[in-house]
Amino acid sequence: LPISAHPPPKDAHMKNGYVISTDKSKLDIDAIHDYLCHRSYWGRGRTVETVRKSIANSLCFGIYSRSSQLAGFARVVSDFALFAYLMDLFILEAHRKRGLGKWLVESIIREPALKDIRFWRLDTMDAHGLYRKYGFQAPAFPERIMEMRRSPTRAVDTDG
Ligand SMILES: CC(C)(COP(=O)(O)OP(=O)(O)OC[C@H]1O[C@@H](n2cnc3c(N)ncnc32)[C@H](O)[C@@H]1OP(=O)(O)O)[C@@H](O)C(=O)NCCC(=O)NCCS
């Protein structure tokens, strides 16, 4: 059903015919998996089961075009008190360069459930300039940050 057939949920935001929503029932899991598994630089080979589980356990944001097609996605892993990790953010190729990436990042950090979070993290290869617009910076104390990367047999992938 087109989005217009439903009353918009309270958390929906609209701009230029696009809608951002945190309603997981609207997410096109196959389109998200297809992008992450085949076209992203960080989620290559991620299985649909992993995508589904990561969505189930995250606060997810979908952007939808006028025709209700998925145009972009991101998810946030958070304790909703102190810390939030922004992951898997993308705008699908056909919808890029019209401000949707900026709108998505801005909507995420303004989301009521997250607006008081004081400590955000994310990984990015080349989109630092996008996130810098919203207050993200290179880590102040990189020497204090540790991580662990395990082989694919133990954890398919944990990036993004
Ligand atoms: C990065 C991405 C989300 C940007 O989405 P978009 O809707 O095309 O971007 P917008 O139109 O909102 O503009 C993005 C702004 O960030 C800037 N920017 C900085 N680094 C960028 C990058 N690597 N890619 C795109 N924009 C970038 C742009 O110059 C632009 O700023 P401007 O408006 O001042 O010119 C999108 O290109 C994408 O999904 N890329 C592939 C996946 C990816 O790299 N995700 C981020 C991984 S953390």
Side-chain angles (χ1 to χ4, degrees):
L1 281 173
I3 282 174
S4 57
H6 303 283
K10 284 200 179 72
D11 58 2
H13 309 274
M14 296 186 82
K15 191 175 182 177
N16 300 332
Y18 287 90
V19 171
I20 291 183
S21 172
T22 54
D23 181 350
K24 286 183 194 176
S25 70
K26 290 186 174 28
L27 292 171
D28 181 342
I29 308 277
D30 290 337
I32 295 166
H33 171 253
D34 187 54
Y35 180 78
L36 291 173
C37 179
H38 301 297
R39 306 203 298 287
S40 76
Y41 64 79
W42 66 88
R44 295 266 160 167
R46 197 176 293 185
T47 66
V48 72
E49 290 77 23
T50 299
V51 170
R52 209 180 285 282
K53 191 171 179 181
S54 67
I55 285 172
N57 293 301
S58 305
L59 176 59
C60 298
F61 295 77
I63 301 196
Y64 305 91
S65 66
R66 216 178 279 277
S67 56
S68 306
Q69 299 291 308
L70 186 87
F73 173 77
R75 66 187 179 91
V76 174
V77 178
S78 181
D79 58 14
F80 299 105
L82 298 167
F83 179 79
Y85 212 122
L86 176 54
M87 302 184 81
D88 291 340
L89 185 144
F90 63 84
I91 300 297
L92 288 177
E93 296 84 345
H95 302 275
R96 286 183 187 165
K97 299 193 172 162
R98 26 184 114 159
L100 295 181
K102 289 188 285 188
W103 184 41
L104 183 55
V105 177
E106 191 176 2
S107 301
I108 290 169
I109 59 174
R110 286 190 176 175
E111 157 67 34
L114 298 169
K115 70 176 179 23
D116 296 326
I117 296 288
R118 294 178 60 186
F119 196 66
W120 282 88
R121 279 263 170 86
L122 62 79
D123 289 10
T124 186
M125 187 164 74
D126 62 8
H128 306 72
L130 166 61
Y131 299 113
R132 217 173 270 127
K133 292 175 188 292
Y134 300 98
F136 286 89
Q137 298 176 358
F141 304 104
E143 69 283 3
R144 297 184 192 172
I145 298 172
M146 295 184 75
E147 66 176 17
M148 177 162 61
R149 291 181 186 250
R150 297 198 293 185
S151 69
T153 51
R154 298 197 55 182
V156 172
D157 79 288
T158 54
D159 276 356

